[in-house]
């Protein structure tokens, strides 16, 4: 009788056990639009061809990818997607659970679509074994030891999933500030992404290198944001980690402004010393740490507000091709790639702070239609001066302001502030206009404005192609008073994202730059070397 019962037990469990084992290879596929996958230091970076997910937009079906510049020569369109999607492939236990709960009790899951019963399965895919004499006796749990990188990637997967869910409805609470309004491409997704960044994001700053070229930068000039960011990042306790194993990104703390000042031979037109400085620095880091080679530089970022920032990055092919470049000179015609690079706002801090720069009157107290003052610099301004310099009382364009006239007072009296590019696409006038509550008028070619993946610039600024400069007054005059008031109010609302504070405040320019780097890191998927 006993042998009969044993045989019957074997028959009952054989089929479902086989079904579980056969299904263990299926998995959840984490989809990420325009993501990049890196696994081995000897393997060339490749794009994940299976990733197709909408962009961080409110409108459905607005996904785009790749480097773009408008055919009309105006602002570069939106950068590629940065929000994750999930495609289920019938795995009983998600990778996230496996990476974060290695010792938790195994959850119950269906064996297969056609399975007739449920069996417990461990996070490693282990199934109970059958003992000939005593029936079910679970084998000793063989817990997998997850690497630091696997745990980091699991946290990023959860963040991506949360951002995707928030695109439709954001239930997160925030007593400080909740983004809302047409100034944002998708306010829900941005808010959730920002909160995920605050919760997870860690930056490792290499300590190698000596001032003034490294760990240093100007804080009182047109390039002030270089020194400001380096300083704020190094004293930050929330995002900086001194344990590289916990870092999502690695910061290369050199200042291009300081390299130009102390390394470049003035008027030599020789970029060799600048490039050798960067090459030598990265060689030191790559030989001392495993992280640059592990990702081919994809989880590293540099920052430059100097015009020569893009040129400096060409010194190391992986830095140009793979790394996150935070650049004021965000020119798509010169290789700026919005899918991995960050447009950095240029802020001219004469005194090192923004005291006295913020604020302006209401729209009803702005009698001037449009204003610009500046010398000949680059190919666009001569066209602007040719058509409008001292020729119209409504469009006040000056090469030099009359004696005793305040530049910032003129901005505060104007409805629109004209912001043409100089020799490079970025201009500090954009942020100056936002500070004073003046609606920016962007005249540039191939320029990606700051935080363009989050902010809907067309809701609070005007884009004018270079060829339309002769029609500038007609274009601005055609904007109704009602529409102008809406735009001006939105300028005031987004101003918090461009303000410089010491110490930094939530959602200010320092945190927005970090968030832009965070989004690019979410676009990169890393694995340990095989």
């Amino acid at each position: 009788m006993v042998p009969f019962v044993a045989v019957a037990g074997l028959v009952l469990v054989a089929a479902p056990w086989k079904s579980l084992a056969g299904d263990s290879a299926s998995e959840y596929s984490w989809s990420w639009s325009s993501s990049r996958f890196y696994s081995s230091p000897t393997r060339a970076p490749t794009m994940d061809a299976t990733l197709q997910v909408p962009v961080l937009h409110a409108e459905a079906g607005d996904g785009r990818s790749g480097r773009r510049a408008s055919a009309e020569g105006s602002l570069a369109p939106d950068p590629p997607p940065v929000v994750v999607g999930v495609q289920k492939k019938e795995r009983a236990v998600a990778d996230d659970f496996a990476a974060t709960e290695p010792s938790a009790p195994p959850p119950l899951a269906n064996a297969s679509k056609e399975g007739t019963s449920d069996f417990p399965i461990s996070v490693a895919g282990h199934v109970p074994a059958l003992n000939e004499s005593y029936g079910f006796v679970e084998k000793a749990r063989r817990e997998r030891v997850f690497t630091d990188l696997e745990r980091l990637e699991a946290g990023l997967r959860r963040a991506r999933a949360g951002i995707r869910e928030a695109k439709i409805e954001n239930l997160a609470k925030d007593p400080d500030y909740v983004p809302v309004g047409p100034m944002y491409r998708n306010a829900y997704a941005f808010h959730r992404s920002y909160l995920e960044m605050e919760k997870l994001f860690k930056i490792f700053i290499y300590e190698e290198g000596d001032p003034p070229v490294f760990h240093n930068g100007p804080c009182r000039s047109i390039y002030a944001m270089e020194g400001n960011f380096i300083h704020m990042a190094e004293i930050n306790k929330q995002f900086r980690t001194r344990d590289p194993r916990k870092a999502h990104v690695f910061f290369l703390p050199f200042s291009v402004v300081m390299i130009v000042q102390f390394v470049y031979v003035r008027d030599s037109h020789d970029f060799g010393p600048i490039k050798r400085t960067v090459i030598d620095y990265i060689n030191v880091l790559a030989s001392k740490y495993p992280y640059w080679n592990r990702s081919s530089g994809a989880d590293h970022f540099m920052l430059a507000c100097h015009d020569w920032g893009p040129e400096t990055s060409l010194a190391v092919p992986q830095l140009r091709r793979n790394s996150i470049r935070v650049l004021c000179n965000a020119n798509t015609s010169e290789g700026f790639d919005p899918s991995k690079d960050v447009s950095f706002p240029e802020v001219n801090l004469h005194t090192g702070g923004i005291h006295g720069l913020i604020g302006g009157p209401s729209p009803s107290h702005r009698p001037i239609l449009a204003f610009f003052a500046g010398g000949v610099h680059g190919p666009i301004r001569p066209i602007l001066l040719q058509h409008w310099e001292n020729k119209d009382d409504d469009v006040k364009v000056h090469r030099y302001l009359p004696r005793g006239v305040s530049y910032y007072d003129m901005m505060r009296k104007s409805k629109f502030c004209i912001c043409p590019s100089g020799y490079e696409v970025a201009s500090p006038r954009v942020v100056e206009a936002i500070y004073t509550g003046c609606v920016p008028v962007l005249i540039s070619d191939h320029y990606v404005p700051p935080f363009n993946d989050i902010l809907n610039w067309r809701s609070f600024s005007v884009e004018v192609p270079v060829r339309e400069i002769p029609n500038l007054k007609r274009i601005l005059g055609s904007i109704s008073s009602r529409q102008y008031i809406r735009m001006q109010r939105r300028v005031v609302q987004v101003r918090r994202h461009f303000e410089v504070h010491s110490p930094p405040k939530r959602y200010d320019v320092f945190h927005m730059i970090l968030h832009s780097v965070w989004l690019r890191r979410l676009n990169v998927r890393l694995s340990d070397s095989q």
Side-chain angles (χ1 to χ4, degrees):
M1 188 66 181
V2 173
F4 176 78
V5 172
V7 172
L10 284 171
V11 172
L12 287 173
V13 302
W17 183 86
K18 180 179 181 181
S19 176
L20 257 177
D23 195 48
S24 64
S26 61
E27 62 181 354
Y28 279 81
S29 175
W30 298 89
S31 300
W32 185 254
S33 182
S34 297
S35 73
R36 297 170 285 150
F37 183 79
Y38 302 84
S39 59
S40 171
T42 60
R43 182 181 306 169
T46 58
M47 297 294 291
D48 189 339
T50 65
L51 309 176
Q52 310 208 356
V53 184
V55 71
L56 230 175
H57 284 189
E59 301 83 12
D62 198 24
R64 305 182 182 95
S65 64
R67 185 186 314 156
R68 298 177 301 274
S70 62
E72 296 80 11
S74 58
L75 290 179
D78 310 329
V82 286
V83 176
V84 73
V86 180
Q87 295 177 346
K88 188 174 181 180
K89 290 188 179 179
E90 304 176 356
R91 178 172 179 170
V93 182
D95 289 341
D96 286 345
F97 180 86
T100 56
E101 301 289 340
S103 60
L108 293 177
N110 292 329
S112 68
K113 289 185 177 179
E114 295 80 24
T116 58
S117 61
D118 294 335
F119 282 84
I121 180 170
S122 76
V123 295
H126 171 61
V127 294
L130 179 67
N131 184 286
E132 291 183 353
S133 301
Y134 302 100
F136 285 107
V137 178
E138 185 175 1
K139 291 182 179 180
R141 172 169 290 178
R142 293 174 295 180
E143 294 185 357
R144 177 183 172 188
V145 178
F146 292 94
T147 66
D148 297 316
L149 181 58
E150 287 174 327
R151 293 182 182 278
L152 287 175
E153 289 296 316
L156 295 177
R157 287 197 295 270
R158 289 193 302 273
R160 295 184 189 115
I163 296 170
R164 181 181 174 90
E165 292 173 0
K167 287 189 66 179
I168 301 174
E169 182 180 12
N170 183 24
L171 301 179
K173 304 297 182 181
D174 193 333
D176 180 30
Y177 177 71
V178 177
V180 65
M183 307 85 65
Y184 301 101
R185 297 189 178 280
N186 190 308
Y188 289 161
F190 167 53
H191 188 218
R192 179 59 179 269
S193 177
Y194 187 91
L195 296 180
E196 292 287 347
M197 176 192 75
E198 289 186 317
K199 181 173 63 176
L200 294 176
F201 200 33
K202 295 298 179 184
I203 301 171
F204 180 78
I205 304 176
Y206 290 109
E207 296 185 1
E208 286 70 17
D210 297 321
V213 171
F214 302 92
H215 308 284
N216 186 36
C219 292
R220 296 186 180 184
S221 73
I222 196 173
Y223 305 124
M225 286 307 298
E226 271 194 29
N228 185 282
F229 182 89
I230 292 173
H231 174 68
M232 294 302 175
E234 294 202 328
I235 66 174
N236 187 276
K237 295 182 179 179
Q238 178 180 4
F239 297 102
R240 183 180 183 181
T241 177
R242 297 186 182 274
D243 185 351
R245 297 171 300 176
K246 297 179 180 179
H248 297 93
V249 296
F250 298 80
F251 180 37
L252 305 170
F254 60 80
S255 166
V256 176
V257 175
M258 304 310 283
I259 292 177
V260 172
Q261 181 176 344
F262 290 96
V263 176
Y264 175 71
V265 179
R266 187 178 180 87
D267 298 326
S268 68
H269 307 290
D270 179 11
F271 282 90
I274 295 176
K275 292 184 177 181
R276 282 193 295 273
T277 300
V278 177
I279 292 171
D280 292 344
Y281 184 66
I282 292 181
N283 282 340
V284 169
L285 302 181
S287 62
K288 186 174 181 179
Y289 302 91
Y291 306 105
W292 175 272
N293 292 328
R294 179 185 69 179
S295 67
S296 298
D299 55 353
H300 288 59
F301 75 98
M302 61 163 285
L303 175 141
C305 210
H306 195 278
D307 297 348
W308 292 354
E311 182 72 21
T312 302
S313 71
L314 297 179
V316 180
Q318 290 175 324
L319 180 62
R320 160 63 186 90
R321 184 173 61 248
N322 300 333
S323 300
I324 302 167
R325 301 180 304 163
V326 184
L327 304 173
C328 284
N329 189 15
N331 189 337
T332 58
S333 69
E334 296 181 1
F336 182 87
D337 183 356
S339 68
K340 74 171 191 67
D341 298 330
V342 174
S343 179
F344 188 27
E346 190 170 301
V347 185
N348 192 357
L349 299 178
H350 301 283
T351 62
I354 60 174
H355 179 72
L357 303 180
I358 300 294
S362 64
S364 60
H365 292 83
R366 294 177 178 266
I368 302 172
L369 177 64
F371 166 71
F372 169 81
V376 176
H377 188 262
I380 296 178
R381 295 184 191 177
I383 302 174
L384 178 66
L385 293 169
Q386 174 188 349
H387 285 89
W388 295 104
E389 183 180 11
N390 300 321
K391 294 181 179 179
D392 194 290
D393 291 335
D394 294 325
V395 180
K396 293 188 176 295
V397 173
H398 304 277
R399 192 183 307 254
Y400 301 105
L401 282 175
R403 185 181 300 272
V405 177
S406 167
Y407 175 78
Y408 287 102
D409 284 347
M410 290 294 294
M411 298 187 85
R412 292 186 176 96
K413 293 178 182 179
S414 302
K415 292 180 171 66
F416 299 94
C417 289
I418 304 170
C419 307
S421 293
Y423 284 112
E424 305 298 341
V425 291
S427 170
R429 287 172 176 78
V430 177
V431 175
E432 290 170 345
I434 293 174
Y435 279 0
T436 58
C438 186
V439 176
V441 179
L442 308 181
I443 307 179
S444 59
D445 289 330
H446 315 299
Y447 179 46
V448 179
F451 318 134
N452 191 50
D453 42 5
I454 297 300
L455 299 179
N456 177 17
W457 279 80
R458 293 183 179 180
S459 71
F460 61 89
S461 68
V462 181
E463 304 170 21
V464 176
V466 175
R467 67 174 185 275
E468 293 293 335
I469 288 177
N471 301 317
L472 190 57
K473 183 175 181 178
R474 179 182 59 81
I475 292 172
L476 299 180
S478 65
I479 298 174
S480 67
S481 298
R482 184 176 180 181
Q483 177 63 13
Y484 163 72
I485 291 173
R486 285 197 294 261
M487 296 178 71
Q488 198 272 342
R489 288 176 178 171
R490 293 166 189 167
V491 168
V492 175
Q493 286 178 278
V494 302
R495 185 168 63 201
R496 69 181 302 142
H497 300 315
F498 296 88
E499 293 180 2
V500 180
H501 296 288
S502 181
K505 297 180 180 179
R506 298 181 72 218
Y507 295 99
D508 70 357
V509 68
F510 174 77
H511 288 92
M512 290 296 289
I513 295 167
L514 284 184
H515 182 261
S516 294
V517 175
W518 156 257
L519 286 183
R520 272 66 183 178
R521 177 59 179 89
L522 287 176
N523 266 341
V524 176
R525 300 170 62 191
L526 300 179
S527 71
D528 291 297
S529 302
Q530 302 298 321

